[in-house]
């Protein structure tokens, strides 16, 4: 249901259109109603004049992701972001939460407690407000291409993305196709968004985003009739 709303955004979707779309995917009307109720309670979806729209947090997250992708395609000056954990005595859950935050900001762990990435994204570095971190801008002594290759398995990411794209193109059953598209979205969320000089030849991120955009257009047509 969230994928349908994302594909239709900013247009709202009526309950009857949601039910019709659910039938297409083999999902019962009662299951759809229950899912939408939970999504509204969680703030992921809002009711507007008896229709459904994406909630503000998801709209903001989508805007943030789009801006980050645009940033990655602009000129890069060679600087890297660097964040060092400078507070001890944290619990396991606190350490895990910080790892999730840093990965969400597309940083990689150079070694335990040291996180970095090229400073090519103009998005706010919200993680810098965390009291356990000390943050810097730095220029590596060595080759940035080698450093990026040591931090991210770019070959594995490329191969996995191409396999998902091929599977999406080969899948026709609606529910299975939606599931593959969801996998593709999760894969795109792990794109390190590196500047072009650090990427391998034939980096597939743009074509993968194009494949998902085409699928979103399918969902838009389904949701809006």
């Amino acid at each position: 249901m969230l994928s349908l709303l994302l594909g239709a955004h900013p247009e709202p979707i009526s309950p009857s259109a949601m039910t019709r779309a659910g039938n297409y995917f083999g999902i019962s009307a009662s299951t759809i109603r229950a899912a939408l109720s939970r999504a509204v309670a969680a703030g992921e979806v809002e009711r507007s004049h008896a229709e459904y729209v994406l909630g503000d947090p998801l709209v903001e997250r989508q805007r943030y992701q789009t801006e980050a992708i645009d940033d990655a395609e602009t000129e890069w000056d060679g600087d890297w972001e660097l964040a060092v954990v400078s507070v001890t005595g944290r619990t396991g859950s606190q350490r895990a939460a910080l790892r999730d935050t840093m990965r969400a900001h597309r940083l990689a762990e150079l070694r335990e407690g040291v996180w970095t990435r090229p400073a090519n994204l103009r998005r706010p570095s919200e993680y810098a407000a965390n009291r356990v971190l000390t943050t810097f801008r730095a220029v590596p002594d060595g080759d940035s291409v080698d450093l990026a290759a040591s931090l991210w398995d770019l070959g594995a990411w490329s191969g996995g993305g191409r396999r998902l794209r091929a599977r999406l193109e080969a899948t026709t059953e609606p529910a299975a196709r939606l599931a593959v598209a969801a996998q593709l979205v999760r894969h795109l969320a792990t794109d390190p968004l590196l500047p072009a000089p650090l990427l391998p030849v034939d980096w597939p991120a743009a074509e993968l985003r194009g494949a998902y955009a085409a699928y979103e257009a399918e969902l838009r047509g389904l949701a809006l009739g």
Side-chain angles (χ1 to χ4, degrees):
M1 297 300 101
L2 293 177
S3 295
L4 287 168
L5 287 164
L6 185 59
H9 181 75
E11 289 88 348
I13 303 180
S14 68
S16 60
M18 281 289 198
T19 300
R20 184 177 65 248
N23 290 336
Y24 178 75
F25 290 110
I27 304 171
S28 70
S30 60
T31 299
I32 291 169
R33 287 193 296 270
L36 287 170
S37 294
R38 289 194 295 269
V40 169
E44 297 173 322
V45 173
E46 297 175 0
R47 293 293 298 269
S48 175
H49 304 291
E51 295 182 310
Y52 294 100
V53 295
L54 276 183
D56 288 340
L58 290 184
V59 172
E60 181 62 19
R61 186 174 72 182
Q62 182 68 12
R63 183 193 64 78
Y64 175 88
Q65 291 173 345
T66 300
E67 288 180 352
I69 290 167
D70 292 341
D71 286 350
E73 297 172 353
T74 60
E75 188 174 354
W76 171 57
D77 64 6
D79 281 0
W80 285 63
E81 299 176 23
L82 190 66
V84 179
V85 176
S86 53
V87 173
T88 60
R90 295 175 299 134
T91 66
S93 61
Q94 288 172 329
R95 291 194 297 271
L98 180 62
R99 284 194 296 271
D100 289 343
T101 296
M102 302 308 280
R103 288 169 181 154
H105 281 79
R106 316 292 175 116
L107 278 80
E109 199 166 20
L110 181 62
R111 62 176 178 81
E112 186 174 0
V114 180
W115 295 83
T116 190
R117 67 155 293 110
N120 64 316
L121 304 182
R122 293 189 299 273
R123 49 88 173 113
S125 300
E126 296 169 353
Y127 66 84
N130 193 312
R131 293 181 301 164
V132 308
L133 295 174
T134 301
T135 59
F136 309 87
R137 286 290 186 95
V139 179
D141 287 335
D143 190 295
S144 286
V145 174
D146 293 340
L147 177 57
S150 71
L151 292 170
W152 292 276
D153 191 341
L154 302 179
W157 194 91
S158 296
R162 289 192 172 99
R163 286 191 293 274
L164 283 171
R165 181 187 179 189
R167 190 183 306 167
L168 183 63
E169 292 173 348
T171 303
T172 56
E173 196 277 319
R177 187 166 168 77
L178 178 63
V180 175
Q183 285 184 291
L184 181 56
V185 168
R186 287 193 290 272
H187 189 72
L188 286 168
T190 64
D191 178 1
L193 297 176
L194 300 177
L198 305 186
L199 292 173
V201 177
D202 297 329
W203 182 247
E207 64 188 58
L208 298 180
R209 287 193 288 268
Y212 184 72
Y215 181 72
E216 270 196 334
E218 291 181 30
L219 291 180
R220 183 183 181 85
L222 175 66
L224 300 180

